[in-house]
Amino acid sequence: MTEAAAKPAFAPRRRWRLRAPRLIQYVSLQVLIVIACIFALRQSLPEPPSHYLVTEFSLTEGGAERSVTLPHFTSSRFSMIDPPLYTGEFSWTSSEAQHPWSVLLPRFTNGVEVAVNGVVILDSRRDPTANRSDRNTPALAVIPSSLLRDGSNVLSIRLFIWGPLTGFLDRIAVGPDEILRPYYEQRTLLFVTLPVVFSAWQAILAVILAIMWIMRRHEPAYGVLAAAMALGVAQAFLPAPVDQPQHARLNAILIASAPLESGFVLSFAMLFFGWKWPRYGPFIFAPGLLLIVIALSEDQVLARESFVFVGVPTVGLYLVLLALIVGQSVLKRQDVGSFIFGCAVTIVLTCWIHDLLSVLQLIPERRIFITRLSYSAMLVAIGAGLTWRFARALNQVDSFAGRLVTQVRQAEDRLKASFAREEERARAAALARERTRLMRDLHDGLGGQLVSIVALSERGNAGAPIGEAARAALGSSPCHRFHGRHRRRSDAGARLLARARHGAAAAARHRARLAGADAARHSGSSRTQALARHPDRAAAG
């Protein structure tokens, strides 16, 4: 086997050996998170003193009457016309008339009507947030002092059930308002105020993500997460009172939108962590759309029952897939954002399993649902991860900008130095070319004028013409024109003129001597020839 053929076979093993320790560490950390969540969920919330608790009631349900002890689960999932009636007693003495008394209901599903001695003092159906199954909303009703009787007083509670879960009534406390109210406020802070704060944060994050998606259309993950956030905000703030029939479909749609919201979150994780959108991607939203179609029908009971058998398992399946996707991203990327996201998904999945066991009544405890609250915590983790990513991007941009400014400044300095050198070279080349041109023009002009001077001198025309030719030679020279433009006289031109004049005078004297000698020779030869032709003239002479 060649080396090239052996590499592909050993590459997966090598990657697995490198990732195995990371996988063990990550799984171990998730196990610790699960253990911590279970320990936290096993902790009971503070309760009023036991002598204020009312736990023994007589239950009338379906025409039958029996004794029950709170907390109690009913067998019915829908009972609005003939709701179960819990009847109990509590004692009150006239010595406690100076302190107002209240009735505290820590947890109930879905709605309650509380009456003291036959007079209704509380109807939770008027408050949409008090009847939500996913929120553990407590209720506190102050008993008017005129209704209280010295000794035994009758406490009646009608439990309205409209699904999708069975009815539940937790232990009830009746006592002084100043003692019961701190427990009520503590539960309200944990199960009402905190979800509202998380929902507000979710709304702000949805707006920010929508803006980011509008400005960056090539990153659809932000738009998908914004849609999931918007659905969560709608579930938090849009529920209407149950006794209003015109809003029955709206409440059913909001309940059925939970699988659709979890589908958007799963799609966000796939897109955000670089997964290719699969062909079966649209089927992720099929369960949620199916539940919404059922909710639009007239049968609201069927819609709630469908949510139990379709919506809840769908949410759990998507949470498992989300945990697997995030876990693979943590092993591959090893970044802080994926790690935080993975821990948050583990917390939500643990809380979902706990709530499912509570719905199936496999946990013999009070019905306290934490999944929605933990889901809000996951959204906070997503926001923290995106904020960390954004801050890291800003730091990278600032660092790049600093390096770019430094490089641009250095390039400008080098460019300026290069321009200065090129300018100096261009100036030197221009001066050299101008000097060469001047010398060539000077040489050609003076050469021509000097030839003219020599020609004039040889013709014997001395005097003014030679001087004028010399002056013309000097005046027509580029050197003279150059000095005339700058209003200064050239010493070289003066010397050249003097030399030209001196040469012209010397040439004239030389020509004069030559002319005299020639004339004398010519005269002597002519006389000799005449005497030879006329001897008589020579003898007479």
Side-chain angles (χ1 to χ4, degrees):
M1 181 182 293
T2 62
E3 183 179 357
K7 283 185 178 180
F10 287 102
R13 283 187 195 172
R14 185 175 182 182
R15 285 197 299 267
W16 171 251
R17 289 177 182 177
L18 293 175
R19 292 183 179 181
R22 305 171 190 168
L23 178 61
I24 294 174
Q25 294 175 2
Y26 180 74
V27 173
S28 301
L29 179 61
Q30 303 311 307
V31 171
L32 293 177
I33 292 176
V34 171
I35 294 174
C37 289
I38 295 175
F39 177 78
L41 294 173
R42 296 290 296 177
Q43 303 301 314
S44 299
L45 294 173
E47 289 185 342
S50 59
H51 58 277
Y52 292 121
L53 296 178
V54 181
T55 59
E56 301 299 328
F57 281 85
S58 175
L59 173 61
T60 302
E61 182 180 12
E65 184 177 353
R66 67 181 188 274
S67 297
V68 295
T69 301
L70 302 184
H72 179 258
F73 294 89
T74 66
S75 58
S76 175
R77 294 181 183 272
F78 184 83
S79 180
M80 294 291 291
I81 299 175
D82 186 17
L85 175 62
Y86 294 84
T87 304
E89 296 181 351
F90 67 94
S91 298
W92 179 82
T93 59
S94 58
S95 61
E96 298 176 345
Q98 66 274 17
H99 300 289
W101 273 41
S102 300
V103 179
L104 173 64
L105 291 85
R107 181 75 171 106
F108 53 88
T109 306
N110 297 99
V112 293
E113 181 185 85
V114 181
V116 175
N117 295 326
V119 179
V120 177
I121 62 173
L122 173 66
D123 189 351
S124 67
R125 292 175 296 175
R126 306 296 180 183
D127 184 8
T129 60
N131 304 310
R132 298 187 54 171
S133 301
D134 58 344
R135 289 189 181 179
N136 314 299
T137 307
L140 181 69
V142 179
I143 306 174
S145 58
S146 59
L147 298 180
L148 295 174
R149 288 180 270 183
D150 196 2
S152 179
N153 293 266
V154 178
L155 176 65
S156 302
I157 300 176
R158 292 182 181 273
L159 184 63
F160 297 93
I161 308 168
W162 53 80
L165 306 177
T166 59
F168 172 77
L169 184 62
D170 203 350
R171 286 187 290 190
I172 297 173
V174 181
D177 184 76
E178 60 183 6
I179 295 178
L180 301 183
R181 187 164 293 276
Y183 298 97
Y184 168 76
E185 292 177 349
Q186 184 181 18
R187 287 177 174 262
T188 302
L189 175 64
L190 183 59
F191 299 119
V192 178
T193 306
L194 190 58
V196 171
V197 172
F198 282 146
S199 298
W201 162 254
Q202 190 173 344
I204 296 173
L205 191 59
V207 174
I208 295 174
L209 292 173
I211 294 174
M212 293 174 64
W213 174 70
I214 292 174
M215 301 303 296
R216 300 176 63 86
R217 292 291 184 89
H218 61 280
E219 294 187 6
Y222 296 107
V224 173
L225 185 58
M229 301 286 183
L231 283 176
V233 173
Q235 293 177 16
F237 296 109
L238 292 184
V242 181
D243 58 347
Q244 298 181 5
Q246 64 272 22
H247 299 298
R249 292 183 178 180
L250 175 61
N251 293 333
I253 291 174
L254 293 176
I255 293 175
S257 62
L260 192 61
E261 181 182 6
S262 60
F264 276 114
V265 175
L266 179 62
S267 302
F268 160 75
M270 295 173 63
L271 296 174
F272 182 75
F273 293 120
W275 283 50
K276 186 179 180 180
W277 183 252
R279 295 181 179 178
Y280 56 84
F283 291 99
I284 295 176
F285 307 101
L289 295 176
L290 177 62
L291 291 177
I292 290 178
V293 171
I294 297 175
L296 292 175
S297 64
E298 297 294 336
D299 194 351
Q300 303 303 319
V301 177
L302 177 61
R304 293 185 173 91
E305 295 290 340
S306 300
F307 175 78
V308 174
F309 295 104
V310 177
V312 175
T314 300
V315 173
L317 175 62
Y318 288 171
L319 285 174
V320 173
L321 295 177
L322 187 62
L324 295 177
I325 292 173
V326 177
Q328 182 181 7
S329 176
V330 170
L331 296 178
K332 185 177 180 180
R333 294 189 175 189
Q334 298 184 1
D335 57 348
V336 179
S338 302
F339 178 77
I340 296 176
F341 197 4
C343 296
V345 172
T346 302
I347 295 174
V348 176
L349 185 58
T350 304
C351 294
W352 178 84
I353 295 174
H354 173 269
D355 293 352
L356 182 62
L357 296 178
S358 298
V359 170
L360 299 176
Q361 300 181 16
L362 297 178
I363 299 180
E365 294 179 352
R366 296 154 200 163
R367 181 178 288 175
I368 302 294
F369 294 148
I370 312 294
T371 302
R372 189 69 197 182
L373 190 62
S374 61
Y375 173 76
S376 300
M378 184 182 69
L379 295 181
V380 173
I382 293 175
L386 293 177
T387 303
W388 175 82
R389 182 187 182 194
F390 182 70
R392 186 182 66 175
L394 286 180
N395 291 334
Q396 292 177 353
V397 169
D398 292 340
S399 178
F400 175 75
R403 292 195 304 269
L404 186 61
V405 169
T406 303
Q407 293 176 0
V408 168
R409 187 179 296 111
Q410 293 175 355
E412 287 180 352
D413 295 340
R414 291 193 298 267
L415 190 60
K416 289 179 180 179
S418 177
F419 282 164
R421 289 193 299 268
E422 292 296 331
E423 186 177 359
E424 185 66 26
R425 290 172 185 163
R427 186 183 297 109
L431 290 176
R433 288 194 300 270
E434 184 66 17
R435 187 180 299 109
T436 302
R437 187 184 65 80
L438 290 175
M439 294 299 296
R440 184 172 60 251
D441 293 346
L442 180 62
H443 178 271
D444 295 342
L446 288 180
Q449 296 299 330
L450 291 176
V451 169
S452 176
I453 292 172
V454 172
L456 291 175
S457 63
E458 289 179 351
R459 285 197 301 266
N461 297 327
I466 297 177
E468 291 177 359
R471 282 191 295 271
L474 179 62
S476 62
S477 67
C479 183
H480 179 76
R481 290 196 302 268
F482 179 77
H483 287 287
R485 283 194 305 267
H486 295 274
R487 297 182 182 275
R488 65 176 180 265
R489 192 171 183 83
S490 174
D491 295 339
R495 290 194 297 268
L496 182 61
L497 181 58
R499 291 176 182 175
R501 290 177 178 176
H502 180 72
R509 289 193 299 269
H510 180 68
R511 285 194 298 272
R513 287 195 298 270
L514 292 177
D518 291 339
R521 286 196 300 270
H522 181 71
S523 175
S525 59
S526 300
R527 187 174 181 177
T528 304
Q529 292 176 0
L531 292 176
R533 287 193 299 265
H534 304 281
D536 52 346
R537 293 183 183 178

